């Protein structure tokens, strides 16, 4: 079943859970609010966003936290946590300030074992 067929989850900036869940939710919330097109989480912890073709640095995450953030996006997009394949794609639906948007999450695993994630925002028409 497509995860976007489920009820959308309201994001309000950050949840009351672990720091990684809060960070994941905050990135999705900010991306929805600011109408970002993409978020890239690199294996070195560098997080960038793109809006209207313009790239911006968001933050540098400690490398030891990257895998946890990639795993959190994997869970949000209902991807397979057990089998490590070179690339997986999934999605989710959220509400930010009552406005729905979908995210497409692509998790990539390099031969070296490093993982990265790309989150593409698909905003509903205004």
């Amino acid at each position: 079943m497509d995860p976007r067929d489920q009820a959308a989850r309201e994001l309000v900036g950050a949840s009351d859970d672990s720091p990684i869940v809060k960070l994941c939710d905050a990135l999705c919330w900010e991306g929805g609010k600011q109408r970002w097109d993409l978020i890239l989480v690199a294996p070195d912890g560098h997080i960038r966003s793109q809006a209207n073709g313009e790239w911006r640095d968001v933050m540098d995450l400690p490398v030891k936290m990257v895998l946890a953030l990639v795993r959190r996006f994997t869970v949000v997009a209902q991807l397979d946590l057990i089998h490590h394949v070179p690339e997986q794609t999934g999605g989710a639906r959220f509400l930010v300030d009552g406005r729905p948007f979908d995210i497409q999450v692509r998790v990539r695993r390099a031969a070296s074992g490093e993982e990265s994630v790309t989150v593409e925002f698909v905003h509903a028409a205004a």
Side-chain angles (χ1 to χ4, degrees), residues 77-97:
Q78 297 185 349
L79 299 174
D80 188 350
L81 282 169
I82 305 300
H83 300 98
H84 296 283
V85 295
E87 186 172 308
Q88 294 187 69
T89 303
R93 174 166 287 159
F94 294 98
L95 294 172
V96 174
D97 295 337

Side-chain angles (χ1 to χ4, degrees), residues 9 11-18 20-23 25-26 72:
R9 193 177 89 185
L11 293 180
V12 292
S15 68
D16 295 327
D17 298 312
S18 76
I20 290 298
V21 170
K22 288 180 182 180
L23 176 59
D25 284 358
R72 179 61 191 163

Side-chain angles (χ1 to χ4, degrees), residues 1 3-4 8 10 13-16 28 34-36 46 52-53 68-69 79 84 89 91 94 96 104 107-108 123:
M1 173 167 64
R4 292 169 293 164
E10 180 74 37
S15 68
D16 295 327
C28 290
Q34 300 296 325
R35 302 198 55 85
W36 291 347
H46 192 67
N52 298 320
L69 183 59
L79 299 174
H84 296 283
T89 303
F94 294 98
V96 174
Q104 292 294 317
V107 176
R108 292 187 179 103
H123 301 277

